[in-house]
Amino acid sequence: MLSLPPLALYIHVPWCVRKCPYCDFNSHTLTDALPETAYIDALLADLDAEMANVQGRVLTSIFIGGGTPSLVSGAGYQRLLAGIRERLTLAPDIEITLEANPGTFERERFADFRRAGINRLSVGVQSFDNEALARLGRIHDAGEAVHAITTAREVGFDEVNIDLMHGLPGQTMASALADIDQALALEPSHLSWYQLTLEPNTAFYSRPPELPEEDVLADIQDAGQARLEAAGFQRYEISAWSRPGHEARHNLNYWRFGDYLGIGAGAHGKISRPGDQGLEIERRWKTRQPETYLARHHDPRGFMAGSRVLSRDEKGLEFLMNALRLSDGVPGELWRRHTGLDEARLDAHTRAPIARELMLETHARIQATPLGLLFLNDLLALCDDSVLARS
Amino acid sequence: MTNDASNGTLKHIRNFSIIAHIDHGKSTLADRIIQICGGLTERELKEQVLDTMDLERERGITIKAQSVTLDYKAEDGTVYQLNFIDTPGHVDFSYEVSRSLYACEGALLVVDAGQGVEAQSVANCYTAIEQGLEVLPVLNKMDLPQADPDKVSHEIEEIIGLEADNAPQVSAKTGLGMEGLLERLVSFIPPPKGDITKPAQALIIDSWFDNYQGVVSLVRLFDGTVKKGDKILMKSTGREWEVSDIGIFTPRQKSTGMLRAGEVGYIIAGIKDIHGAPVGDTITHAKTPQVERLPGFQKVKPQVYAGMFPISSDDYEDFRDALEKLALNDASLDYIPENSDALGFGFRVGFLGTLHMEIVQERLEREYGLDLLTTAPTVIYELAMEDGEVMYVSNPSKLPDMGSVNEIREPIVRANILVPQEYVGNVINECVVRRGVQLDMQVLGSQMQLVYELPMGEVVMDFFDRLKSISKGYASLDYSFERFDAAKLARLDVLINGDRVDALATIVHRDQAHQRGRSLVERMQEMIPRQMFDVAIQAALGGHVVARSTVKALRKNVTAKCYGGDVSRKRKLLDKQKQGKKRMKQVGKVEIPQDAFLAVLKVND
């Protein structure tokens, strides 16, 4: 009997007070009052339409991302989570994360969020340098960020993540390390420490700021890594650091190629089902525009914008795109369990990267070498090429 | 039909070409002449102009001549048959041009009245005069404010020695002076000589392959007649064919059943291979094999060679098929399989010149959808071996062990360069750097004419582009092969991470080897992107490293944040990276962009 991968739930809140110039996510500047009630109603209707995809599984984690999900009130989340509990079985130790902006307005709601059942807060600090924050178009300052994280601890969040960027316009080694030190001083359980990249369809992409040179970026990466390790944080994924045992379970599910329902404007989901040839994997995504999404609540077309069933090679490649981001990779048996493919397919993808010493040569673990982690983009291109060359 | 009657017909025929530099308005002038002669209505002309532009482009590419037969009613009421033979206008195709001119009694030298004379026109004009053509200078673009007819007339007289005081002044664009031009044309250019009663003698001006008709030959009849159904003989091959169709272009193909002495038209005779009807060959009837071959026939030989390799080895078969198809229509295209350690299986392809090379590459990529990597072009070297044998090498990596070679000889060209006086210093410097020997220097009007002997290897290495850039685009160049000369030459190898890359080898003069080597490795260092490891680039002469540089390793290449939810954005990134790599060739572990294989061309900048 085929066992399906674990199931998580992603909820997207598509509004922001202001769009940041580096952000390419589905976020929209809020012009009128937030249609909170209507949106939560729509989310629950969206979930109703997804129920067939649950296939009897227990929900292991929920992640509310955006946009700026902290714009929604604690009462709103109370109702949303109650609605989810009515429809789905939640694991007893379920992780429920909310992305929060560290502004004053949001901070006052942290206690309400905690009471609503949210047990992990991810705070989008990005930097503790006011000049850098202004350049990034953030609407909070360093003082508010510090205050926000302290408040989160005070109101009972044991699991707190700080989102921190490096490679910012004009950043030096010293200012990058100062950001890390300030973050560590606030004793979060988790740190997302990632390099700013200029993505298409962003303000930064059309008018690029001057970024530190490649060698400076690499130096910052090395020094920051050492600093975090010395403070007892382990790098378990390319950009994710945590105290042992405090990894983000929701993200781990992505990286292990688990399943997830996606509800909300522009949300993506991944669903596995028993298929003719082992496992059928479908990617599904919802309509992006918030107004359209709300309107679809009472529209027979529903919320879906598109879906596609992955080909054999896509399954393999997407598994590797996720799994190889983990420092320790994944156990080898996960390949068969989460893709339904045999080891010959794995070999087809990994022959070239193994030959180039970018991956470990063992079926027991699917894991990048230290070199492979540094050159993951090249590694993945090789995984892709090697199957294309054969097909 | 009596002799008199036939000569009566000849009297009203005018066969002419137009000699013009690119952009001096040849196509517009030709279209205007066609329009005046009623070949096309205003509406058709518009379509025709578009067609011709496409056609011209294709023709330029297929390197084909074309002709138009027109009726012109002169002011005195006489109707003339004008046969306008259009020719390609580039130095690579000078043989084709010479055959087109041979078929004419006259030519119009069209000069942009704002720009003056260019070297290419001069060379073609000299060819025309040598072949006894009457050349009528025409000043075009008179509607433009910068037109300076006095200066340009003076220049034509100085440079070419043609009387230009009374040169017709026209604007093909607006139609200004066009009627007058045609009157001058019919009075100035003599009718063809020829005898319709003599055995047939026809010149093949050009031939091309048509999928439906087989080989179509554009011909000029000098004597006699050829009719549909006649048995004809190709003098060069001795083979006989039966004429299945014969006629003229109006500009559309029109069967007439017969061509007579003095006329220009086409012959189709069931020939399947373009080598069966070579340019410059003579056609007569099978029953009159004693008819002499017209002078000047040459077998066209490639002058420049380059390796061409499919980026994806899967495309090799398609590449070979595409070359076969192109060669159907291009007798000068020569290719043999080549196996490069660095680039895999491809072909060594011979061209008439670097423009021909660019055209062929562009056609292969555009029409056949191939992604190709072309190595730097090289000329043919003549090797006198110790054992007395003489061999030719068109691929630097195939240069034999120098111990067995007594002498290497390089092809030398005679180059004519026309350039405004203010840039003469730059041009002389450039010629010196390229080992040129000055033969002559003259003031000609507002320009200088420089005559140099240059190694052809130096000329094909980007010389023309370089000339243009050091003269603000004003210099013009024409050259022709003279002879092979012994020189101190050696192979300059390029090693990437210690491995010799055969496709990057070049043959250089020993005195220049160090400077070329340094310049080459520096260029390559700029062109090769940073990779996962250091890339060492070395230039070596006979195992001795003369220059080196290093592309420092990248320290990482990983996308920082991955939002697991939406995989499509990650896929896009991966696809983008792959698109970038598509233009790269993997040599060993190193990815080398295609441009880097041409770096050797730019070492003089």
Side-chain angles (χ1 to χ4, degrees), chain A residues 24-25 163 194-195 214-215 218-219 222 239 260 268 283 321 325 358 374-378 384 388, chain B residues 530 532 554-567 569-571 577-578 581 586:
Chain A
D24 71 330
F25 290 97
D163 261 359
Y194 61 98
Q195 186 185 321
E214 232 169 89
D215 281 327
D219 287 341
D222 290 349
S239 309
Y260 44 96
H268 283 244
R283 295 216 171 265
M321 271 167 49
R325 292 187 67 86
L358 296 170
L374 284 173
F375 292 95
L376 191 59
N377 291 350
D378 300 275
D384 200 9
L388 286 180
Chain B
R530 296 173 68 178
M532 286 161 54
L554 263 184
R555 293 179 48 192
K556 62 191 173 76
N557 178 23
V558 49
T559 304
K561 193 143 187 170
C562 175
Y563 291 82
D566 180 2
V567 177
R569 60 180 64 227
K570 186 85 179 88
R571 279 304 307 234
Q577 175 162 335
K578 276 171 58 182
K581 294 210 179 205
Q586 186 134 355

Side-chain angles (χ1 to χ4, degrees), chain A residues 75-123:
Chain A
Y77 285 121
Q78 187 94 46
R79 187 161 75 86
L80 177 63
L81 290 171
I84 293 168
R85 282 176 208 277
E86 276 169 23
R87 290 163 174 81
L88 293 165
T89 313
L90 276 52
D93 61 343
I94 189 167
E95 172 193 279
I96 304 178
T97 305
L98 180 92
E99 278 188 339
N101 190 60
T104 310
F105 163 77
E106 288 91 348
R107 192 176 72 237
E108 287 164 356
R109 293 178 158 183
F110 283 3
D112 297 339
F113 293 152
R114 184 70 194 89
R115 268 194 297 278
I118 290 162
N119 55 23
R120 185 171 180 273
L121 210 59
S122 176
V123 188

Side-chain angles (χ1 to χ4, degrees), chain A residues 2-325:
Chain A
L2 203 64
S3 75
L4 292 173
L7 183 71
L9 170 66
Y10 177 76
I11 302 167
H12 193 76
V13 178
W15 292 281
C16 281
V17 173
R18 190 167 89 196
K19 177 107 181 165
C20 296
Y22 58 86
C23 171
D24 71 330
F25 290 97
N26 184 30
S27 63
H28 304 264
T29 302
L30 191 59
T31 43
D32 298 321
L34 184 78
E36 183 175 305
T37 307
Y39 194 67
I40 289 169
D41 290 346
L43 286 174
L44 290 171
D46 193 352
L47 183 58
D48 282 334
E50 289 282 345
M51 288 307 291
N53 294 322
V54 177
Q55 302 170 88
R57 284 176 285 185
V58 169
L59 217 52
T60 54
S61 65
I62 300 174
F63 193 100
I64 307 163
T68 308
S70 49
L71 291 175
V72 174
S73 71
Y77 285 121
Q78 187 94 46
R79 187 161 75 86
L80 177 63
L81 290 171
I84 293 168
R85 282 176 208 277
E86 276 169 23
R87 290 163 174 81
L88 293 165
T89 313
L90 276 52
D93 61 343
I94 189 167
E95 172 193 279
I96 304 178
T97 305
L98 180 92
E99 278 188 339
N101 190 60
T104 310
F105 163 77
E106 288 91 348
R107 192 176 72 237
E108 287 164 356
R109 293 178 158 183
F110 283 3
D112 297 339
F113 293 152
R114 184 70 194 89
R115 268 194 297 278
I118 290 162
N119 55 23
R120 185 171 180 273
L121 210 59
S122 176
V123 188
V125 170
Q126 317 311 352
S127 174
F128 291 100
D129 176 335
N130 281 336
E131 266 180 48
L133 286 172
R135 273 196 289 268
L136 287 175
R138 301 295 297 183
I139 53 172
H140 66 270
D141 64 25
E144 283 179 303
V146 171
H147 201 169
I149 292 154
T150 322
T151 305
R153 311 301 294 269
E154 283 167 7
V155 302
F157 281 103
D158 295 332
E159 301 294 335
V160 176
N161 169 57
I162 295 178
D163 261 359
L164 204 61
M165 275 193 217
H166 63 274
L168 304 176
Q171 193 174 48
T172 60
M173 169 73 83
S175 56
L177 291 179
D179 271 350
I180 290 182
D181 290 341
Q182 175 63 74
L184 289 172
L186 294 169
E187 298 186 337
S189 59
H190 191 282
L191 259 170
S192 277
W193 187 59
Y194 61 98
Q195 186 185 321
L196 169 66
T197 47
L198 306 186
E199 302 295 339
N201 309 316
T202 64
F204 272 3
Y205 193 79
S206 41
R207 271 168 284 112
E210 199 171 327
L211 299 179
E213 284 184 29
E214 232 169 89
D215 281 327
V216 176
L217 292 173
D219 287 341
I220 289 176
Q221 175 84 41
D222 290 349
Q225 206 157 310
R227 187 73 56 107
L228 288 165
E229 270 160 17
F233 277 75
Q234 55 172 12
R235 181 197 197 192
Y236 69 97
E237 187 261 355
I238 297 290
S239 309
W241 303 74
S242 77
R243 294 193 184 283
H246 294 268
E247 296 86 359
R249 276 187 266 153
H250 186 82
N251 288 342
L252 273 179
N253 184 57
Y254 289 148
W255 293 320
R256 289 176 176 154
F257 213 49
D259 278 4
Y260 44 96
L261 305 168
I263 60 172
H268 283 244
K270 166 185 172 277
I271 297 300
S272 308
R273 309 183 181 90
D276 295 341
Q277 283 121 15
L279 214 54
E280 178 188 281
I281 300 177
E282 185 192 30
R283 295 216 171 265
R284 308 159 55 80
W285 54 96
K286 304 292 161 64
T287 188
R288 279 175 65 90
Q289 288 297 328
E291 300 74 33
T292 319
Y293 181 84
L294 284 169
R296 288 286 184 88
H297 186 177
H298 302 289
D299 188 318
R301 282 175 293 177
F303 299 99
M304 289 292 289
S307 71
R308 86 186 240 106
V309 173
L310 301 187
S311 70
R312 182 193 66 182
D313 289 349
E314 284 172 328
K315 281 193 248 183
L317 185 68
E318 292 191 4
F319 179 94
L320 294 167
M321 271 167 49
N322 284 289
L324 292 172
R325 292 187 67 86

